[in-house]
């Protein structure tokens, strides 16, 4: 089994025995994990579980492309994305879509200035992106080499900053 953060409610034993590890992992509620554990490891695990729910062909190892940036977890309580289950569910869906390269029309380059001709923000070879959670909130993240993503922060509509640290 993968390493999972505590507290982590495992599904009933019969799910593991009769349906396998993948089905057992998919039985875990990622929203509950996110809300109750509240750590970077829990956020990463919840996103990976949500990606597996969105694409049942994926295994746990297929989803190992997400890194939680140093300021991501701290940005969640500012907009109630740490405890509000409905908001957490929306953000989880978006994070999984980012991980799976889905719903790309809702993703935009995070630019260095105003207007569509301004250069995309870069951190070495890493590219900064802005993904709509809804009209009011956005996920800012880095696209790293090897199809990896580093989640930077959740911000309100008119904020265009992204943490540069790992």
């Amino acid at each position: 089994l993968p390493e999972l953060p505590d507290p982590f409610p495992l599904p009933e034993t019969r799910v593991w025995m009769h349906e396998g590890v993948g089905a057992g992992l998919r039985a875990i509620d990622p929203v509950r994990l996110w809300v109750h554990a509240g750590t970077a490891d829990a956020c990463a695990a919840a996103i990976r579980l949500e990606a597996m729910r969105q694409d049942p062909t994926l295994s746990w190892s297929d989803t190992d492309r997400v890194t939680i940036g140093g300021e991501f977890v701290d940005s969640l309580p500012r907009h109630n994305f740490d405890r509000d289950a409905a908001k957490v569910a929306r953000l989880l869906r978006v994070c999984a879509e980012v991980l799976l390269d889905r719903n790309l029309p809702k993703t935009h380059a995070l630019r260095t200035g105003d207007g569509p001709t301004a250069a995309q923000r870069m951190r070495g070879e890493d590219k900064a992106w802005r993904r709509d959670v809804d009209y009011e909130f956005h996920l800012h993240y880095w696209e790293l080499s090897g199809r990896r993503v580093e989640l930077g922060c959740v911000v309100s509509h008119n904020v265009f900053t992204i943490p540069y640290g790992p």
Side-chain angles (χ1 to χ4, degrees), residues 11-104:
E12 294 182 31
T13 305
R14 68 176 175 265
V15 173
W16 294 104
M17 291 175 29
H18 295 290
E19 298 181 32
V21 174
L25 287 173
R26 283 181 188 84
I28 297 168
D29 181 0
V31 173
R32 185 170 178 212
L33 171 61
W34 181 296
V35 168
H36 291 288
T39 65
D41 288 343
C43 290
I47 292 164
R48 293 174 71 181
L49 290 170
E50 178 62 24
M52 289 174 66
R53 284 180 164 204
Q54 287 186 25
D55 185 346
T57 67
L58 294 177
S59 69
W60 182 256
S61 61
D62 293 332
T63 62
D64 191 21
R65 298 186 311 106
V66 65
T67 301
I68 305 298
E71 296 181 38
F72 180 76
V73 173
D74 291 339
S75 73
L76 301 175
R78 285 183 223 138
H79 307 293
N80 207 19
F81 280 98
D82 59 335
R83 301 283 176 229
D84 182 321
K87 283 186 157 187
V88 169
R90 284 197 311 270
L91 182 57
L92 268 172
R93 178 187 45 80
V94 165
C95 290
E97 287 176 353
V98 165
L99 186 66
L100 299 171
D101 294 324
R102 292 188 174 164
N103 211 353
L104 296 178

Side-chain angles (χ1 to χ4, degrees), residues 120-129 142-146 148:
Q120 186 171 14
R121 287 181 197 251
M122 301 290 289
R123 181 181 68 181
E125 297 296 315
D126 304 339
K127 297 177 181 178
W129 293 94
W142 295 101
E143 179 185 319
L144 313 175
S145 63
R148 294 190 58 79

